[in-house]
Amino acid sequence: MGDRKVVITGFGAVGPLGLSAGSIWDGLRDGRCGIGPITAFDPSGFPCKLAGEVPPYRIQDFLPKAYRKAAKLMSRDIELAVIAADQAFRSSGLVTRAIESGQVNIDPQRTGINLGAGLISCDLIELAPAVAASLTDGRFDIRRWGCEGMQLVPPLWLLKYLPNMLACHVSIIHDLQGPSNSITSAEVSAAAAVAEARDIIARAGADVILAGGAEAKVNPMVMMSQCLQGRATSVEEPDRACRPFDKDATGSVFGEAAGLLVLESVDHAIQRGARIWAEVLGTGEACSISPDHPCLEPDGDAIRIAIEKAFEDAGIGPRDIDLIIPHGTGVPAEDLAESKGIEAAFGSCIDGIPVWPTKSQLSNTGAAAGAMDLIAALFTIRDSLVPAARNFQQIRPGCRLKINTSPVAARVDRVLCCSFTYGGQAAAVILGRWQGR
Amino acid sequence: MVITGMGIVCPLGHDVGQVWRAVLAGTSGADWIRIFDASTYPTRFDAEVKGFDIRRFVSQAGFHLKGNRGCQFAVAAAAQACRQAGIEIETSRPDDGIDRRRLGIYLGSGEGSVDNETFFDAIARSWDQQTARMDWTRWAKIALRSQDPIHTREQEPHMPSWHIAVLTGARGPARTCLTACAASTQAVGEAMMLIRSGKVDAMISGGCHSMIHPMGVMGFNRLTALSTRNDDPKTASRPFSASRDGFVIGEGAAILVLESLDCALRRGARPLAEIAGYGNSADAFRVTDMHEQGRGPVQAMQAALQDAGLSPDQIDYINAHGTGTIENDQIETLAIKTVFGQRRVPVSSVKGCMGHLIGAAGAAEIVCCVMALQDQVIPPTANLHDQDPRLDLDYVPLRPRPARLINIMKESFGFGGQNNVVIIRRYPS
């Protein structure tokens, strides 16, 4: 049996700060904010008015010619995943049939995908004409819907909204016939997908897996759901809206993104002379068990356990971590609980470790969030630079985390990324600088 | 890796024994749709869970009553499975020999229904047919007034795993996957792998789903995937027959307790069967169709065999995906022949009785496989009176068949081309 280490050899991202991982990192490093007024729909009746939107793009630019017709089956979530996947393969040096059909250098049966996805909310504008054709005396009449209304819904409508379709389209475009999964654990989806992909490669179930997450949350139904749950801030100035761990934090801002990483067995990567960005050193997952707290319990136990397991898996301890990227939603109770969980896992050494939340710039991109942070972590390792946390002024009372307030140039060898979500799931992933064999 | 507990809630009943008896008898779970008024739908029947009350399964039902329909089924099935496995539930001080940090959850579970009382009317009242525009301000006003925050949250596919964590105190990994009709087979396969990796000792795994709501049935009707045999719902699900015309949508949950053999023996839990192998693949063909040669299913079957260290001739029975759509049954047959060659291994589909539980289907069918091993009998394909002459395998029509069973292959293929296969082995073999 060869070396079972799993490394990252490429990645792609689209998100509020740009249409490429590189431009998103530039924005993060330069302290730009990707959050702005919602343009996808008129938000004036909504309690929240801001979002992190992806800049305009043309999906056809990212599809091989033979697959352009399929664009009509793609919801926005799928489009974002397709763009990030294209970029990820290009950055890795792996050539799929979509990149250059004559020069394919992947073994399709040994190449897989593990793509975290959200609950895709349907486009109400698409349904509305069918609903309008189903009214009796101005009220929705399901009997008219059953015989007349639904005939106006496109026949393949359902396929746009099944969360597994992100992975399916990407696997078709790039001919990925190996293991395929669609993890739907809301905001921990990407971290769980990376953890599972690493395990699959480590057990020799595949050589390469494209892993991460994608979700487009700038949709009236999703935004309304987060507003109703009290997680969305109503602050209307982007510079003050999302401020994780700040004493004046009032909630999260939601957005859209896709982040995908090329995970590869180290043997495979070295054999083909790939550039190795980092190693996945360890992962840990845990769950909250309180019926009263849909996210973390107040002591952050799930995040603590996830981090402890990741340390154990990586064979390292708190002192070995150079940077923590927390989930950091900016929802006050969530910030406090996450802080407590991280503090408990790190003990006294927490005082010396910089903490850099990204959601004040990238917004909360749901199933993509964990992948965006892992990609940001790769750049902090490459550049040995920890950017400043944006929108942060003063720590929330009760939190002990050392939020990084100005850019720090210092060697970054190991980064811990945390994820948690309503539903109680939590995950921690540790990436480490590749030190050679 | 062994199975030490099972629970099920499905159209055929609310416990494993009842469901298994119905499967052997070929009883149909199908009937007219009662959950909503489908009297004008192209398909007016389904396979519903009937007479379900979560309070019969757990004592602290209040919290779980807020869960979506599939979630409530999952909690009931998990309670059954944990009881059988000797895992204590609804206690903050469990004393059953299982370290809660090393007890995880892996579900293939689907989304819950929107609130149908408000969803359609809110659209109708906010839509301007002349300009073809939504008045989002008006829609937001209605939504803010009428939508229930808990209902919207509980609609999300990963919420059942929270409910099971609360029920059992499980502190380990809690993953949810939604690979369409293959989801819960995938969940069981990956849960087994988590135990094998040594990261956990035990997993509560399986699936739950209910797409029996106006949007779900509409979606499948538009795809023309459902049977429209409205004159005879009970025989509508007829996998491998010449007159099959689509699947019958079902709902339910099935949960298994998986653990390492060491863990089971240490605790004195009785292994019911072993999970011997798992394979997973993608068709990478089309989102609308299966690969004509069944390339993905073949690869998943071969991967599962390799993982279990078995050759095809060691498989005694195949529990098929067998949905009763023209396409699936034909391509599944082809794929089986590719892997198994000339050998006529018995193949059957319990969907003829149970209907298609979508995300929960695979786990419910794994429960049947375990019972088949225990009773040494192959469950029949119900309603198979007129086998499709183009399909030439032994589909075990109508009547159960006693057989010596050691290894069973369970197949599940999802819309979009994600394929999952597990191999279940008699314990002790």
Side-chain angles (χ1 to χ4, degrees), chain A residues 45-175:
Chain A
F46 285 66
C48 67
K49 310 269 191 299
L50 300 176
E53 295 183 349
V54 168
Y57 61 84
R58 263 171 34 102
I59 187 62
Q60 302 294 357
D61 297 342
F62 301 91
L63 294 175
K65 229 179 215 147
Y67 206 65
R68 288 188 186 153
K69 268 171 72 179
K72 66 176 187 297
L73 298 179
M74 294 181 186
S75 57
R76 195 167 167 90
D77 304 60
I78 298 172
E79 290 181 353
L80 299 179
V82 164
I83 298 172
D86 178 78
Q87 208 185 107
F89 277 120
R90 287 179 197 279
S91 83
S92 71
L94 290 168
V95 181
T96 69
R97 71 176 172 199
I99 306 289
E100 187 59 67
S101 61
Q103 294 170 24
V104 171
N105 68 358
I106 63 160
D107 175 352
Q109 296 202 342
R110 299 283 303 161
T111 310
I113 184 163
N114 207 317
L115 215 172
L119 172 68
I120 310 178
S121 283
C122 55
D123 180 358
L124 299 185
I125 294 175
E126 189 179 50
L127 277 182
V131 173
S134 309
L135 304 182
T136 299
D137 302 329
R139 298 277 298 178
F140 178 72
D141 177 353
I142 195 159
R143 292 189 177 180
R144 289 197 64 185
W145 165 259
C147 53
E148 297 165 47
M150 78 158 73
Q151 300 303 323
L152 300 177
V153 177
L156 301 178
W157 174 84
L158 185 63
L159 298 184
K160 271 175 85 170
Y161 301 107
L162 295 177
N164 67 321
M165 287 297 160
L166 285 67
C168 292
H169 280 282
V170 172
S171 70
I172 294 165
I173 291 169
H174 296 282
D175 195 21

Side-chain angles (χ1 to χ4, degrees), chain B residues 167-357:
Chain B
L167 179 79
T168 60
R171 280 282 194 193
R175 291 185 198 154
T176 298
C177 66
L178 190 39
T179 44
C181 318
S184 53
T185 304
Q186 182 143 20
V188 170
E190 291 295 347
M192 184 268 278
M193 288 297 187
L194 272 169
I195 300 172
R196 207 190 266 175
S197 76
K199 288 187 171 174
V200 293
D201 295 327
M203 294 290 290
I204 297 164
S205 179
C208 63
H209 210 165
S210 176
M211 287 186 80
I212 304 177
H213 49 74
M215 299 285 281
V217 177
M218 180 276 281
F220 284 121
N221 257 157
R222 294 302 287 146
L223 286 171
T224 64
L226 296 182
S227 167
T228 53
R229 198 174 295 280
N230 289 312
D231 56 347
D232 194 5
K234 292 213 181 290
T235 71
S237 183
R238 45 177 79 182
F240 308 112
S241 82
S243 52
R244 68 189 187 279
D245 73 331
F247 72 82
V248 173
I249 189 168
E251 61 175 357
I255 300 287
L256 309 164
V257 173
L258 312 178
E259 56 190 303
S260 66
L261 182 59
D262 284 352
C263 182
L265 295 178
R266 178 172 51 75
R267 304 191 305 113
R270 187 173 78 90
L272 306 171
E274 190 184 332
I275 304 260
Y278 166 57
N280 166 233
S281 74
D283 273 14
F285 181 59
R286 284 185 202 139
V287 291
T288 45
D289 302 287
M290 297 174 79
H291 184 266
E292 290 105 333
Q293 303 298 317
R295 181 176 68 190
V298 167
Q299 192 184 331
M301 284 186 244
Q302 288 171 339
L305 286 167
Q306 191 188 355
D307 185 47
L310 295 174
S311 64
D313 56 6
Q314 289 173 285
I315 297 295
D316 302 304
Y317 158 58
I318 297 172
N319 185 285
H321 188 51
T323 56
T325 63
I326 299 285
E327 183 186 49
N328 176 83
D329 295 1
Q330 187 238 322
I331 290 174
E332 185 168 16
T333 295
L334 193 62
I336 290 170
K337 285 159 75 173
T338 303
V339 175
F340 288 84
Q342 293 304 308
R343 185 168 161 255
R344 275 168 63 90
V345 54
V347 176
S348 76
S349 167
V350 299
K351 287 190 176 78
C353 302
M354 204 183 274
H356 189 348
L357 275 48

Side-chain angles (χ1 to χ4, degrees), chain B residues 135-152:
Chain B
D135 180 345
W136 289 118
T137 305
R138 189 169 165 80
W139 182 86
K141 200 173 158 189
I142 299 168
L144 281 169
R145 196 177 56 224
S146 62
Q147 280 192 12
D148 172 22
I150 292 177
H151 181 275
T152 33

